């Protein structure tokens, strides 16, 4: 079946793509996407089986390689990110691992922003190094530091922008120019913005990786990931690794993520609006020393974020007066906010980064990254803004 947009004669808008891209209606004329819960596919003849295995005829073989529900998710996310190809994976970490193992080899060097997701740092430093891949870390927004860290074997620049939890940003156009001038790939983890708010490929990045677990699902149900980019690197090389090594997405999870993508633009606008409102309220609260949210004029990355993003996202962090004791008291006084490090859910969550997500860093590393003991992070969900304020106010008013 062909895709609606192949013959439509106009370029659909982003919200339309989120709802309809990739759908290929089957002979049952189903309206919503079906779940193809099948691990293998049959061939009409021995000759067809041989042709498919040889790669000479299109079609499914085995669900470690391809599955129609997973393909629809891949095609829809590729359309949203503006990429030629997408490969769906079992988790966000599987997306990052697959990208590295497909595109790097022993002796290669990665330069990564130091404020990336904790498991990404662990994957790079504890595992990839065993296979002869070297890694250096630099402050996200410091372009001179990126350049200085690059050597003759630097093959990949890896950035997560905006960063979690402080919302620091890097100029992706400048970083992609640097990567190109030195023959390295720029890989961007676009988890916090999603394509609803930021298009790294359009700003010059070579690949985008996702934890679909977060905003793409948006309702805290499934773990998944994806890699998006060009047909050669993603469609052939990353896909080749995935079909061999097997960190594939299940069709059920792909279906959940498809449902998530349909409301992604709406949800990201709502998360961003609620987070900005909360950040402004926190800035005016006497118990709060500092608020980190790129949507605030006071944030050092505000102008850059406003230029390269179409919204500022749902993550707000702030430092309360009184250090860890006060921060924990704010957490423990909440009744509605969920005490969990997850983000990208309809439910707002609160966490103390210094003792959870960043707890394994040394005190010096935390200080370097601006993660102090009074810092709290709220991933703003979709509840009434007044209720989120009231729940935080319970603890803040005692500080
Ligand atoms: C959660 C997360 C990941 C890892 O994704 P999983 O789906 O948990 O494997 C990677 N990057 C960022 C920014 C994340 O928040």
């Amino acid at each position: 079946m062909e895709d609606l947009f192949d013959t439509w004669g106009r370029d659909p808008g982003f919200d339309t793509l989120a709802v309809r891209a990739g759908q290929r209606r089957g002979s049952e004329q189903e309206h919503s996407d079906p779940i193809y819960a099948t691990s293998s596919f049959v061939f009409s003849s021995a000759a067809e089986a041989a042709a498919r295995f040889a790669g000479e005829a299109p079609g499914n073989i085995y669900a470690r390689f391809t599955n129609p529900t997973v393909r629809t998710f891949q095609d829809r996310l590729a359309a949203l990110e503006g990429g030629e190809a997408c490969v769906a994976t079992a988790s966000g970490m599987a997306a990052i691992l697959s990208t590295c193992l497909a595109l790097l080899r022993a002796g290669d060097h990665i330069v990564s922003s130091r404020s990336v997701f904790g498991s990404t740092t662990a994957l790079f430093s504890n595992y990839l190094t065993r296979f002869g891949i070297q890694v250096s870390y630099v402050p996200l927004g410091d372009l001179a530091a990126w350049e200085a860290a690059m050597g003759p074997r630097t093959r990949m620049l890896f950035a997560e922008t905006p960063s979690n939890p402080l919302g620091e940003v890097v100029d992706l156009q400048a970083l992609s120019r640097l990567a190109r001038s030195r023959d390295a790939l720029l890989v961007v983890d676009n988890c916090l913005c999603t394509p609803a708010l930021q298009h790294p490929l359009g700003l010059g990045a070579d690949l985008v990786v996702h934890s679909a677990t977060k905003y793409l699902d948006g309702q805290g149900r499934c773990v998944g990931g994806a890699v998006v980019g060009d047909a050669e690197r993603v469609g052939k090389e990353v896909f080749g690794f995935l079909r061999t090594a097997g960190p594939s997405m299940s069709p059920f999870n792909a279906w959940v993520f498809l449902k998530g993508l349909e409301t992604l633009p709406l949800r990201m606008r709502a998360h961003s609006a609620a987070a900005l409102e909360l950040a402004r309220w926190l800035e005016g609260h006497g118990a709060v020393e500092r608020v980190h949210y790129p949507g605030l004029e006071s944030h050092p990355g505000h102008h850059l974020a406003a230029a390269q993003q179409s919204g500022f996202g749902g993550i707000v962090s702030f430092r309360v007066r009184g250090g860890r004791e006060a921060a924990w008291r704010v957490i423990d006084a909440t009744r509605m906010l969920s005490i969990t490090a997850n983000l990208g859910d309809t439910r707002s969550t609160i966490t103390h980064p210094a003792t959870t997500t960043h707890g394994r860093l040394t005190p010096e590393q935390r200080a370097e990254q601006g993660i102090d003991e009074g810092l709290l992070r709220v991933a703003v969900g979709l509840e009434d803004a007044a209720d989120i304020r009231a729940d935080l106010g319970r603890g803040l008013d005692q500080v």
Side-chain angles (χ1 to χ4, degrees):
M1 299 292 287
E2 67 191 5
D3 194 312
L4 161 73
F5 301 126
D6 292 346
T7 53
W8 201 30
R10 72 176 255 123
D11 277 340
F14 187 87
D15 291 16
T16 304
L17 291 173
V19 173
R20 292 188 179 269
Q23 185 170 21
R24 285 172 231 200
R25 209 158 274 153
S27 57
E28 298 294 344
Q29 289 292 301
E30 70 281 354
H31 192 201
S32 176
D33 302 289
I35 306 176
Y36 285 88
T38 178
S39 54
S40 63
F41 301 84
V42 294
F43 314 106
S44 57
S45 65
E48 192 194 6
R52 281 205 209 163
F53 271 85
E56 288 155 7
N60 300 297
I61 298 174
Y62 185 55
R64 173 160 27 87
F65 318 168
T66 61
N67 173 285
T69 312
V70 176
R71 182 193 59 214
T72 302
F73 168 74
Q74 292 175 159
D75 289 353
R76 190 169 300 172
L77 186 58
L80 294 177
E81 286 285 3
E84 290 171 357
C86 171
V87 167
T89 56
S91 68
M93 291 316 304
I96 298 172
L97 174 71
S98 302
T99 301
C100 292
L101 292 195
L103 301 174
L104 300 176
R105 60 185 61 219
D108 286 348
H109 176 235
I110 302 173
V111 182
S112 170
S113 52
R114 69 183 176 198
S115 51
V116 290
F117 186 66
S119 296
T120 305
T121 311
L123 173 69
F124 287 169
S125 296
N126 303 347
Y127 292 95
L128 293 188
T129 50
R130 290 188 199 171
F131 300 94
I133 294 168
Q134 303 304 316
V135 190
S136 306
Y137 297 95
V138 295
L140 175 66
D142 186 347
L143 287 164
W146 285 92
E147 187 164 13
M150 293 175 79
R153 298 301 303 268
T154 305
R155 275 286 291 149
M156 183 184 287
L157 306 186
F158 188 95
E160 196 182 307
T161 182
S163 71
N164 175 18
L166 298 181
E168 296 161 317
V169 285
V170 66
D171 182 338
L172 284 175
Q173 278 177 318
L175 196 59
S176 67
R177 277 196 298 272
L178 176 62
R180 196 140 305 155
S181 75
R182 305 282 287 270
D183 224 11
L185 298 171
L186 175 59
V187 180
V188 175
D189 184 333
N190 199 26
C191 173
L192 261 62
C193 270
T194 82
L197 303 182
Q198 174 170 270
H199 284 103
L201 298 177
L203 297 167
D206 298 288
L207 288 97
V208 164
V209 292
H210 269 290
S211 169
T213 318
K214 312 295 169 47
Y215 291 106
L216 301 191
D217 173 4
Q219 294 166 69
R221 299 166 292 193
C222 289
V223 173
V227 186
V228 191
D230 61 277
E232 181 62 32
R233 288 195 196 90
V234 175
K236 288 217 175 83
E237 297 186 42
V238 178
F239 174 67
F241 174 79
L242 181 104
R243 65 174 280 169
T244 306
S248 318
M249 178 179 282
S250 87
F252 177 79
N253 288 6
W255 179 81
V256 171
F257 295 133
L258 276 169
K259 297 289 111 187
L261 288 181
E262 291 177 16
T263 56
L264 179 71
L266 277 176
R267 285 185 289 103
M268 294 313 291
R269 288 195 281 270
H271 284 296
S272 299
L276 182 59
E277 194 181 326
L278 183 72
R280 290 205 173 115
W281 176 77
L282 286 166
E283 246 189 349
H285 198 290
V288 175
E289 285 176 340
R290 172 100 198 260
V291 183
H292 304 270
Y293 184 65
L296 295 174
E297 292 279 345
S298 61
H299 192 279
H302 174 70
H303 292 289
L304 179 55
Q308 75 181 9
Q309 301 170 206
S310 60
F312 300 104
I315 306 296
V316 178
S317 66
F318 56 100
R319 188 167 72 216
V320 295
R321 290 183 202 290
R324 180 192 296 195
E325 199 202 331
W328 280 23
R329 215 177 321 133
V330 172
I331 292 181
D332 291 339
T334 59
R335 288 283 180 277
M336 179 183 78
L337 265 61
S338 312
I339 307 173
T340 169
N342 198 27
L343 60 92
D345 201 312
T346 50
R347 296 167 183 80
S348 297
T349 68
I350 187 165
T351 186
H352 182 241
T355 51
T356 59
T357 49
H358 295 68
R360 276 185 292 178
L361 300 181
T362 64
E364 294 73 38
Q365 287 171 323
R366 276 198 293 275
E368 228 176 54
Q369 297 192 23
I371 310 293
D372 51 71
E373 292 284 331
L375 191 75
L376 288 171
R377 187 200 75 189
V378 173
V380 182
L382 300 180
E383 305 97 335
D384 281 11
D387 291 331
I388 299 173
R389 282 199 300 273
D391 211 37
L392 283 171
R394 296 164 58 90
L396 284 174
D397 293 343
Q398 298 168 18
V399 169

